[in-house]
Amino acid sequence: MDNPLGWREIKTEIARRINSREWPPGFLMPAETSLAVEFGCARATVNRAVRELADAGLVVRKRRAGTRVVENPIRKAQFRIPVIRSEVEQQGKLYTHRLLQRTVARPPAGVRALFRLSERGTALQLAALHLADDVPYAFESRWINLVTTPEARNVDFSLVSANEWLVKHAPYSGGSYTISAQAADDAAVDALNCKVGDPLVVVDRNTYDTDLCGITQVQLRYAVGHQLLGKM
Amino acid sequence: MDNPLGWREIKTEIARRINSREWPPGFLMPAETSLAVEFGCARATVNRAVRELADAGLVVRKRRAGTRVVENPIRKAQFRIPVIRSEVEQQGKLYTHRLLQRTVARPPAGVRALFRLSERGTALQLAALHLADDVPYAFESRWINLVTTPEARNVDFSLVSANEWLVKHAPYSGGSYTISAQAADDAAVDALNCKVGDPLVVVDRNTYDTDLCGITQVQLRYAVGHQLLGKM
DNA sequence: AAGTGGTCTAGACCACTCC
DNA sequence: GAGTGGTCTAGACCACTTA
């Protein structure tokens, strides 16, 4: 060993051995202590490197059993869900939004379950349009839980978009989403200025607080041709 | 302090303070050393906790400047891109696939650039259909770089799907993808047994080796109604 | 029973950046 | 110059799992 190796270099070197099949799928890697000797560093440094590889899904670690190169690498793709304003402004465009609808109503069963509401419970329903340089960008249909987030009742969502307000004012712990393709219906046609039947990227998103009680449920229908970008 | 606190508990506690607005957006957090004193642990333990929060995008760390609660939390969503076989089998269905086309041809300009080919260079072109319980699941159109992956020329992709083979035999360093919604064209109609114009979820994916030279380019068109699931 | 990874400690040095 | 996070060390104990 010439230089003191950092965890990044060790991680890269191990990743190289895995990619080059020097350590093929299923291979049982040397223990941390052995690697520490090989690389001439402390065990903690190796640990950091291998832990990152485990986070990335390249290896699986088990106490006593050791670290194995994964058989079927399940790649974890990441993509960022920014506030739409940032997304638009990063393209160098002017972001605006329009509140189309705001009512307090009884939500459908799915949302009711998510919010843990009784059959007669109500929630805040919003519809809004996000625009980039005055061109429709995404059409938002949202329910907000007034039990977990009562302050939302008095917010003027024509001034602040619900997304931005919630991000700054609602507690947050996690969420789930689904991406699908749907044909534009009449509401979408009006809002997004497209034709009936046009294929739209649709993102449905649920957000939970720390008790896993639903805070908000939102459906975003993006304008025709929109692409979600990601990395692996 | 009663018990010795682990980094998970510290991470949870700090996340709580951020979610509860006790430490609002933009707030300058105490330094690691202070937190170590408060929590009665070593600085490295606090470091681990705060580093994870930084990875999750809740705080931003800068040397000398300290750690700040982020203003516009950009949530990183993750979703898994498994081998389609696993995806189907996890639903308790029988996975099969059919090779529809296999040619060596001159790829379009986009693929040529990705693979760093000359104008007259060729690559392997595949079309395949993935089925779940004999029902069309996804239609795959793929180009494979025969420079980076020459062994692909002699593989029988009617026996092993290209995805599975590449995952096990091609070096890998990274990739990018885009998700969009597209109307079904004639080819998709034939393969996926749908109607012309039906909205389909389409995933385009590029994969690179360690030199950032393209290995494969693939487009997956999922059957009508397919949803991609993710977590945040 | 033994060997693995998971975690923590107390200390150290360095790189960076703000003052 | 001084204070922050980034990293590394050498050692320790523990939890877990397999043999």
Side-chain angles (χ1 to χ4, degrees):
Chain A
M1 295 308 112
D2 6 337
N3 291 345
L5 291 178
W7 66 266
R8 289 169 190 283
E9 290 138 292
I10 296 178
K11 176 184 170 186
T12 302
E13 168 59 15
I14 295 177
R16 188 195 63 73
R17 293 183 189 178
I18 293 173
N19 280 328
S20 70
R21 319 280 150 183
E22 201 172 314
W23 289 353
F27 180 77
L28 179 62
M29 281 172 45
E32 289 188 353
T33 45
S34 316
L35 290 171
V37 172
E38 178 192 340
F39 291 119
C41 67
R43 197 193 125 206
T45 308
V46 173
N47 180 277
R48 174 78 191 268
V50 180
R51 180 172 14 102
E52 295 241 340
L53 291 172
D55 288 344
L58 259 72
V59 300
V60 174
R61 320 198 75 188
K62 276 187 201 158
R63 281 170 172 157
R64 165 70 193 174
T67 302
R68 273 183 194 282
V69 177
V70 98
E71 288 281 359
N72 272 38
I74 291 180
R75 282 159 193 166
K76 287 177 187 166
Q78 272 204 343
F79 79 102
R80 296 154 52 200
I81 302 204
V83 176
I84 291 191
R85 171 194 291 280
S86 324
E87 197 177 342
V88 169
E89 288 175 349
Q90 240 175 4
Q91 298 172 22
K93 295 182 176 170
L94 174 70
Y95 170 80
T96 48
H97 71 103
R98 252 183 250 151
L99 183 64
L100 303 179
Q101 188 197 353
R102 182 197 176 285
T103 51
V104 175
R106 285 166 52 183
V111 175
R112 216 162 57 210
L114 182 71
F115 290 177
R116 298 186 192 156
L117 292 178
S118 70
E119 231 178 79
R120 310 193 62 80
T122 59
L124 183 60
Q125 181 180 27
L126 303 176
L129 185 62
H130 304 269
L131 304 105
D133 281 349
D134 283 327
V135 176
Y137 187 82
F139 176 50
E140 169 179 326
S141 318
R142 184 185 291 270
W143 289 92
I144 298 177
N145 189 340
L146 290 173
V147 177
T148 57
T149 323
E151 316 89 325
R153 194 183 288 268
N154 304 314
V155 176
D156 184 350
F157 287 112
S158 63
L159 297 179
V160 193
S161 85
N163 196 349
E164 286 180 64
W165 186 85
L166 283 165
V167 156
K168 296 204 173 181
H169 295 89
Y172 169 79
S173 78
S176 63
Y177 61 92
T178 68
I179 300 170
S180 59
Q182 292 178 22
D185 61 13
D186 290 334
V189 164
D190 288 346
L192 296 174
N193 194 23
C194 62
K195 293 194 290 282
V196 171
D198 276 351
L200 304 179
V201 174
V202 179
V203 177
D204 286 277
R205 204 154 87 223
N206 298 330
T207 306
Y208 311 96
D209 67 11
T210 40
D211 300 325
L212 296 182
C213 180
I215 297 173
T216 185
Q217 192 258 20
V218 58
Q219 179 178 73
L220 280 175
R221 281 182 269 189
Y222 287 91
V224 174
H226 186 83
Q227 293 188 330
L228 302 172
L229 306 177
K231 282 184 187 175
M232 293 189 280
Chain B
M1 296 307 114
D2 6 338
N3 291 347
L5 291 178
W7 65 266
R8 289 168 190 284
E9 290 140 289
I10 295 178
K11 178 185 170 188
T12 303
E13 168 60 15
I14 295 178
R16 189 194 61 75
R17 294 183 188 179
I18 293 173
N19 278 329
S20 69
R21 318 282 152 183
E22 201 172 315
W23 290 355
F27 180 77
L28 179 62
M29 281 172 45
E32 289 188 352
T33 46
S34 317
L35 290 171
V37 172
E38 177 191 341
F39 291 120
C41 66
R43 195 192 128 208
T45 307
V46 173
N47 179 278
R48 173 78 191 269
V50 181
R51 177 166 24 95
E52 295 242 340
L53 292 172
D55 287 345
L58 260 70
V59 300
V60 174
R61 320 198 74 187
K62 276 184 199 161
R63 281 169 172 159
R64 165 68 193 174
T67 302
R68 275 183 194 283
V69 177
V70 98
E71 289 280 359
N72 274 38
I74 292 180
R75 283 158 193 170
K76 286 176 184 163
Q78 272 204 344
F79 80 101
R80 300 157 20 203
I81 302 206
V83 176
I84 292 190
R85 171 194 289 282
S86 324
E87 197 178 340
V88 168
E89 288 176 347
Q90 238 174 6
Q91 299 171 20
K93 296 183 176 170
L94 174 70
Y95 170 81
T96 49
H97 72 104
R98 250 182 252 153
L99 182 64
L100 303 179
Q101 188 196 355
R102 182 196 176 284
T103 52
V104 175
R106 285 166 52 186
V111 175
R112 217 163 55 212
L114 182 71
F115 289 178
R116 298 188 194 154
L117 292 178
S118 70
E119 229 178 81
R120 309 193 61 81
T122 58
L124 183 59
Q125 181 180 26
L126 302 177
L129 186 61
H130 303 269
L131 304 104
D133 280 350
D134 282 326
V135 176
Y137 187 82
F139 176 50
E140 168 179 328
S141 319
R142 183 186 292 269
W143 288 93
I144 298 177
N145 190 340
L146 290 172
V147 177
T148 57
T149 323
E151 316 89 325
R153 195 183 288 269
N154 305 311
V155 176
D156 183 351
F157 287 112
S158 62
L159 296 179
V160 193
S161 85
N163 196 349
E164 286 179 64
W165 186 85
L166 283 165
V167 157
K168 295 205 173 177
H169 294 88
Y172 168 79
S173 77
S176 63
Y177 61 92
T178 68
I179 300 169
S180 59
Q182 291 178 24
D185 62 11
D186 289 335
V189 164
D190 287 347
L192 295 174
N193 194 23
C194 61
K195 293 192 289 283
V196 172
D198 276 351
L200 304 179
V201 174
V202 180
V203 177
D204 284 278
R205 202 154 86 224
N206 297 330
T207 306
Y208 311 97
D209 67 12
T210 39
D211 300 324
L212 296 182
C213 181
I215 297 172
T216 186
Q217 192 258 19
V218 59
Q219 180 177 74
L220 279 176
R221 280 182 269 190
Y222 287 92
V224 174
H226 187 83
Q227 294 187 330
L228 301 172
L229 306 177
K231 283 184 188 176
M232 292 190 284

